[in-house]
Structures are given as C-alpha cells and as structure tokens.
Amino acid sequence: MNSISSSSDSLAVPTVSELKKNKIPFHVAIIMDGNGRWALKRNLPRISGHRKGVIVLKNIVITCKELGIKYLTVYSFSSENWQRPRIEVKNLMVLFLDSIKRELEDLNKNGVRLKLIGQRETIPAKILKTFEYSEQKTKNNKELFLNIAFNYGSRQEIIDAVKKLYIAARNNFINIDNIDVKTFSKFLYTEDFPDPDLLIRTSGESRISNFMLWQIAYTELYFTKTLWPDFSKKHFLKAIYNFQRRSRRFGKL
Ligand code: IPE
Ligand code: IPE
Ligand code: MG
C-alpha cells in the first residue's frame, strides 16, 4: 500500500491479505443509507434501490465471515422511517419478509446467528413472527452474529431500558446502587453484545440518525459518499483498512 491519505474516500483499496489479522474489528455496525437516491439516479422506483441493498448486504455478510468479523449490526428500518409515504413502507415490509424467508436457510448453513434489535411490541405481528422464527432457527450458530436493527430508535431503546430497569428494581431483582455501565447495557436491545468498534455510514450523510447512541461512545466513525447499493467488498475492505490505521485511546495516553 503506498497511496495513503487522510480522506476515507480517496484511500487505495487493500486486498484481504494486506489487512492486519490482529486488528480486525470485532463488531462492525452499518447505517445502510442511499438506496432511494441510487434508484432515483437511474430513473427507477425507490424500491429497486432497496432490493439492490439486500444483495449488497449479503455480499458484506460473506466478507465479514471471510475476515473473521464476529458481529455485524445493520440499520435496516428506523422508528422514524414509518413516517415515509405508505407505499414505500409497504414495499419495504414486503421486501423484509421476502428477504428473510429467502435467505434464512443459506444464513443458517453459513453459521450466521440472526437477532432483531428494535422495539418488538410495535412491530407488525407477521414481521415479528418471521424475525423471531429466524432467531430461534439460528440460535446455536456461532460464526457471525448478524443483528438487524428494525423499528429501531436509540432514544426509545434507552427509554425502554430505563423502564425495564425500574421494574427490575421494584421487584428487587436489581439494586439501584449497583447500576453501572455494564448493568445498564444489558437492558438495551443489544443486551450483552460488545460495543461496535467501527461504524460505517454510506451515502455522504455525516450523521447518526438515532442509531446506537449509547453503544457508539468510543466507536470509530467512517463516512463514505458511496451509496449503499454501490457499496462493494472493495469499499468495505477500504473501511477496514482505514480503521486499522487509527489510534484508539479510550481517553488514556
Ligand atoms: C436507506 O436508504 C434505507 C432505509 C432507510 C430503509 P434510504 O431509503 O434512506 O435512501 P435515501 O437516503 O433516500 O437515498
Ligand atoms: C437511517 O437513514 C436509517 C436507515 C438507514 C435504516 P435515514 O435515511 O432514515 O436517515 P436520515 O433521514 O437521512 O437522517
Ligand atoms: Mg436515507
């Protein structure tokens, strides 16, 4: 590698063997954004962008396995996304159902464990049932933990955690004086997952959009202009390479 620069979008692309084996992130989170704009640029309906996005995700899951990344958390539908036009929401729901049903067997064969993170109580019954069936079916898999953030909003996640904590304390399952970061984290949708090491957001937006606010306290952030449907293995390797060049200090010297 010789063309090293500080901008994430202009870095040269490394090969898998050029990455440092001992500096592979344990947990990668992705805000998969830009599907609509990708479609619009091609005069296609927005749903085509979402469809292409699913294919891209499959590719990234395979790459994560190849690199030995253990946790992949992807933002697929936010609690705010319900406010989109009805037709977009409907198309997205159909796409979720179809994709999970179609991919489940393959994911299972590949040792992928699926988990939904999001507010379960307000997810339409049919979708929740499909998610929960997939979780059940893949629960013994250990190769890669694939967490799908769906009906997810981080502020609501924190409020829900506080409510659960309150009930636990009232029933004497927990002593308020003993609540620390570790205990609190267990009440979040992500439960005992490790925090993400790297968060990637595609599409050129440099914001978090209510994603994992608690969990990304010390996560490395990587923003790229590439739209999610264009995001390839090459782009992913570039993000990992960029991550490997960072110095994480966690407030220490
Ligand atoms: C991300 O792509 C997918 C979802 C939010 C469901 P968008 O649909 O937000 O695409 P843009 O940002 O409008 O291009
Ligand atoms: C964030 O993207 C949610 C997902 C990628 C699922 P949005 O497109 O909803 O975020 P904003 O509206 O640009 O902040
Ligand atoms: Mg968007």
Side-chain angles (χ1 to χ4, degrees):
M1 301 296 309
N2 43 22
S3 52
I4 289 170
S5 90
S6 58
S7 143
S8 43
D9 274 326
S10 60
L11 261 181
V13 183
T15 59
V16 172
S17 60
E18 278 172 306
L19 294 173
K20 295 190 190 95
K21 295 276 169 302
N22 59 351
K23 254 189 139 181
I24 295 291
F26 196 64
H27 184 174
V28 176
I30 308 182
I31 302 176
M32 310 181 290
D33 195 20
N35 297 352
R37 276 165 282 170
W38 181 90
L40 213 73
K41 275 199 337 197
R42 288 162 178 77
N43 270 323
L44 295 168
R46 289 177 58 89
I47 190 65
S48 325
H50 297 309
R51 284 202 193 105
K52 177 77 195 330
V54 175
I55 299 168
V56 167
L57 175 58
K58 208 178 159 187
N59 204 11
I60 297 304
V61 167
I62 295 167
T63 307
C64 281
K65 262 198 72 180
E66 185 186 352
L67 296 180
I69 290 167
K70 276 288 164 198
Y71 287 81
L72 174 66
T73 302
V74 292
Y75 206 3
S76 71
F77 194 82
S78 75
S79 38
E80 287 77 34
N81 288 150
W82 294 109
Q83 296 164 55
R84 292 187 176 196
R86 262 173 68 118
I87 183 69
E88 164 127 352
V89 172
K90 185 172 171 273
N91 286 340
L92 278 168
M93 296 305 133
V94 171
L95 181 63
F96 284 130
L97 278 175
D98 288 353
S99 308
I100 297 176
K101 283 181 187 157
R102 195 184 53 235
E103 300 302 333
L104 184 60
E105 206 179 305
D106 231 28
L107 289 169
N108 198 21
K109 262 195 229 141
N110 277 293
V112 177
R113 181 172 177 171
L114 274 169
K115 188 178 160 71
L116 164 74
I117 60 166
Q119 196 185 52
R120 294 187 185 231
E121 298 82 348
T122 50
I123 293 179
K126 205 165 140 193
I127 295 183
L128 184 61
K129 215 174 123 198
T130 307
F131 264 123
E132 291 187 338
Y133 174 75
S134 320
E135 288 180 326
Q136 186 58 25
K137 185 114 181 133
T138 59
K139 70 173 194 296
N140 295 321
N141 293 344
K142 292 190 174 65
E143 284 285 314
L144 172 70
F145 290 76
L146 174 59
N147 311 308
I148 313 277
F150 180 88
N151 192 30
Y152 179 91
S154 194
R155 286 179 163 178
Q156 193 58 49
E157 175 184 35
I158 293 168
I159 292 172
D160 286 349
V162 171
K163 287 180 180 169
K164 282 186 248 168
L165 254 173
Y166 171 76
I167 294 168
R170 207 178 51 189
N171 294 326
N172 292 321
F173 291 128
I174 198 163
N175 181 341
I176 285 285
D177 296 328
N178 296 337
I179 296 169
D180 55 12
V181 168
K182 212 170 150 202
T183 348
F184 187 82
S185 300
K186 292 208 172 96
F187 285 83
L188 297 167
Y189 305 144
T190 43
E191 297 175 345
D192 45 12
F193 298 168
D195 288 339
D197 299 296
L198 170 66
L199 168 67
I200 299 171
R201 180 172 188 148
T202 58
S203 92
E205 310 296 354
S206 307
R207 57 175 171 263
I208 300 300
S209 303
N210 204 10
F211 191 49
M212 300 187 103
L213 300 178
W214 170 278
Q215 297 89 339
I216 60 169
Y218 269 104
T219 298
E220 296 297 326
L221 308 179
Y222 179 90
F223 298 103
T224 168
K225 289 198 177 79
T226 307
L227 303 173
W228 178 249
D230 287 326
F231 196 77
S232 62
K233 176 175 181 176
K234 188 180 84 176
H235 295 104
F236 191 67
L237 295 182
K238 221 162 123 174
I240 306 296
Y241 181 67
N242 180 290
F243 167 83
Q244 294 195 330
R245 291 166 52 236
R246 302 200 188 172
S247 153
R248 301 183 79 190
R249 290 183 288 277
F250 301 95
K252 301 168 204 160
L253 290 182

